[in-house]
Amino acid sequence: MRFIETKCVQCGLCEVTCPEHAIALEPRLALGVEARQPRVLNQAVIFNCVRCGKPLGTQKMIGNMLGKLAGHSMFAAPGSLDRLKMCADCRVIDMMQKELPSTQGATGSAE
């Protein structure tokens, strides 16, 4: 996350909505050159889709999500929690591949 101080109006919206509570406002008036330069406030490790490698989110965010949903009944089936580590496209492909073996025999034609 990059921040340019001169663009900040101290409204507090970023602090309130930050899901990781990584922002704290400090009232001040900086007029120097550094206030006009972008500063890195937080740099997180990116978590990539376990299937295709596409960037999915931060490792911390994915870890928090997995921790909160681990006991949920919607993710009790084997492999369903692993789908949360996949991008939307790979999640659909994975779900379809899991269902195809059970329906493939029913659609075959007789000779």
Side-chain angles (χ1 to χ4, degrees), residues 26-42:
E26 180 184 307
R28 65 181 183 178
L29 179 61
L31 300 173
V33 176
E34 68 278 350
R36 288 184 230 112
Q37 300 299 319
R39 272 190 302 154
V40 175
L41 296 179
N42 185 23

Side-chain angles (χ1 to χ4, degrees), residues 46-49 52-58 87:
I46 299 297
F47 185 92
N48 297 319
C49 172
C52 72
K54 188 184 334 180
L56 186 60
T58 66
C87 67

Side-chain angles (χ1 to χ4, degrees), residues 90-103:
C90 290
R91 211 173 296 141
V92 171
I93 292 168
D94 185 66
M95 289 172 66
M96 292 294 110
Q97 286 178 341
K98 298 277 192 279
E99 294 204 13
L100 278 180
S102 63
T103 58

Side-chain angles (χ1 to χ4, degrees), residues 3 8-18 23-26:
F3 172 74
C8 178
V9 295
Q10 294 278 323
C11 68
L13 189 59
C14 60
E15 181 181 30
V16 173
T17 59
C18 179
I23 300 172
L25 297 180
E26 180 184 307

